Amino acid sequence: MHGLLPALKRGFKRWIGWRRLGVAASVFIIAFAITTLARTLKDIDTGVILTALTEIPRGNIGLAAICVVFAFCTLTFYDYFALRTIGKKHVPYRIAALSSFTSYSIGHNIGATVFTGGAIRFRIYSDYGLNAIDVAKICFLSGLTFWLGNIFVLSIGMVIHPDAASSMDQLPSSINRLIGLGGLASIGAYLVWLCMGEKRRELGQKGWKVVLPSAPLTLVQILIGVVDLGFCATAMYLLMPANPSIDFMSLAVVFILATLIGFASHAPGSIGVFDVAMLVALPEFGREQLLATLLVFRILYFVIPFGLAISIMGARELWMNVVEPWQERRRLAEACAQGNLPKQVAAMERERSLRQASKR
């Protein structure tokens, strides 16, 4: 018996591994969501959906758009906070904002956010001397901000409105309330653990070592996540049908659970997964009306930011790899023509500028 567990552990690592298990879980979630969504959308009247779209007040759509803007503004502090935590204070806020916005918008829409978002971050931060390990630390701390905020808000919601979670996880309200209390207790225990000295806050070893934020800074970290989620949930709340009525906290619980399921699936834009979770958890709403709400929310929170992020990154790459080298060559040519630089020096400067541009 004593040798069975180590043998199973070795077999798991050799034949399955956490990576394959994660991929299998993602495929299962996506397949289950698509099947459920197809069954849920059976006999849907597209005419009713179009009518429901016109029934959403234009003022509410405008307010929801403002909430989305504020949510993405808050999102920029994910990277900014992480950069300050690992000591990279020379990176300005505008670069952290650019990295946060583009990596999240593009990564979440393409899928596999950890890899796509990490690649975009590395492309931006490498110009400021950050290496792959630094970017991995930023991804880790940004993810920690996301999860702390989600756990905190979801736990409070499950304590106050456990029935909202029951519609999705099918657990009794008493169990959901206990889960919520457990989530709050775990955050409290984490804060206490952080207060027990800086050595305890060190994770990793040798080249890969990150010092977790102190307890007071972790409260700031949680606040960033809470504000971000608050704006997102408010945007969804503003777009919901007027009847039947639903309170904000109940919707926030459903929204966060649907977001986490979609995030776990790694599906591009959580397409299908997030939507079916919302449809299953809110059966009291008409399917066509709820689909209209989800469609508008997707346009505001996924489609428009994705288009902006792609445009920003495309313009940045064009400027750095085409316009700047062209300007440098033109400046050197003009200097050489005016006799300010010897031809040999001008050629050397031109080669140096081209090498720098190619490194970018």
Side-chain angles (χ1 to χ4, degrees):
M1 183 65 182
H2 291 289
L4 180 60
L5 292 178
L8 290 174
K9 184 178 180 180
R10 288 193 300 269
F12 174 80
K13 287 183 176 180
R14 180 178 179 182
W15 299 108
I16 302 177
W18 290 109
R19 184 175 178 275
R20 290 192 183 95
L21 184 63
V23 171
S26 297
V27 171
F28 173 78
I29 293 173
I30 294 172
F32 179 77
I34 291 174
T35 303
T36 305
L37 186 62
R39 187 167 56 250
T40 304
L41 299 183
K42 188 178 181 180
D43 300 326
I44 283 289
D45 190 340
T46 54
V48 177
I49 295 177
L50 294 174
T51 302
L53 285 171
T54 62
E55 292 175 351
I56 301 176
R58 296 296 178 267
N60 285 19
I61 295 177
L63 290 173
I66 294 173
C67 287
V68 169
V69 170
F70 279 121
F72 276 101
C73 288
T74 308
L75 190 71
T76 63
F77 289 98
Y78 280 51
D79 274 33
Y80 189 69
F81 180 89
L83 285 164
R84 271 33 188 185
T85 299
I86 66 174
K88 304 299 180 180
K89 298 182 180 181
H90 67 284
V91 181
Y93 167 76
R94 70 177 188 279
I95 300 301
L98 172 67
S99 175
S100 283
F101 174 69
T102 55
S103 63
Y104 182 85
S105 299
I106 297 175
H108 196 51
N109 277 278
I110 293 177
T113 310
V114 174
F115 301 104
T116 52
I120 293 171
R121 282 188 170 102
F122 182 77
R123 181 70 185 91
I124 294 173
Y125 289 135
S126 59
D127 291 335
Y128 287 81
L130 275 66
N131 56 33
I133 293 177
D134 295 326
V135 173
K137 292 178 182 179
I138 293 170
C139 292
F140 169 75
L141 290 169
S142 298
L144 185 61
T145 303
F146 172 82
W147 283 103
L148 285 173
N150 274 272
I151 292 173
F152 183 76
V153 176
L154 183 60
S155 297
I156 291 178
M158 292 178 73
V159 170
I160 299 175
H161 290 285
D163 293 337
S166 297
S167 61
M168 187 175 294
D169 60 22
Q170 302 300 310
L171 294 175
S173 298
S174 57
I175 299 297
N176 281 324
R177 181 171 278 117
L178 286 176
I179 293 173
L181 291 172
L184 293 175
S186 64
I187 290 179
Y190 176 66
L191 292 171
V192 172
W193 178 74
L194 292 175
C195 294
M196 299 178 68
E198 185 173 337
K199 285 293 182 182
R200 284 185 174 272
R201 294 193 280 118
E202 292 183 358
L203 296 180
Q205 56 185 351
K206 296 181 180 179
W208 204 109
K209 181 181 289 186
V210 59
V211 179
L212 294 173
S214 62
L217 287 177
T218 299
L219 292 175
V220 175
Q221 193 177 17
I222 293 173
L223 180 63
I224 293 172
V226 169
V227 173
D228 175 33
L229 285 170
F231 280 124
C232 293
T234 302
M236 176 63 77
Y237 184 74
L238 288 167
L239 299 173
M240 291 294 292
N243 292 305
S245 61
I246 183 172
D247 63 276
F248 175 77
M249 188 57 72
S250 295
L251 179 65
V253 171
V254 172
F255 177 80
I256 294 172
L257 283 173
T259 300
L260 293 179
I261 294 173
F263 184 81
S265 71
H266 295 289
S270 301
I271 188 73
V273 182
F274 173 81
D275 310 88
V276 73
M278 294 291 293
L279 287 166
V280 170
L282 299 171
E284 65 270 26
F285 291 93
R287 291 178 298 173
E288 290 85 358
Q289 287 74 22
L290 191 52
L291 281 172
T293 294
L294 293 171
L295 178 60
V296 175
F297 181 80
R298 277 199 169 278
I299 293 173
L300 294 177
Y301 192 75
F302 291 94
V303 178
I304 294 177
F306 180 63
L308 287 174
I310 288 290
S311 301
I312 291 171
M313 285 300 294
R316 181 178 184 271
E317 292 299 318
L318 181 66
W319 178 266
M320 294 179 64
N321 294 289
V322 178
V323 177
E324 281 189 347
W326 175 78
Q327 288 179 338
E328 184 67 15
R329 288 194 298 270
R330 183 179 177 182
R331 184 186 67 81
L332 291 173
E334 289 176 352
C336 183
Q338 294 173 3
N340 294 334
L341 288 175
K343 290 184 178 181
Q344 186 177 2
V345 176
M348 293 173 61
E349 286 292 323
R350 189 181 299 111
E351 290 179 6
R352 183 181 63 82
S353 64
L354 290 175
R355 285 197 302 269
Q356 289 179 345
S358 64
K359 289 180 180 179
R360 294 174 181 173

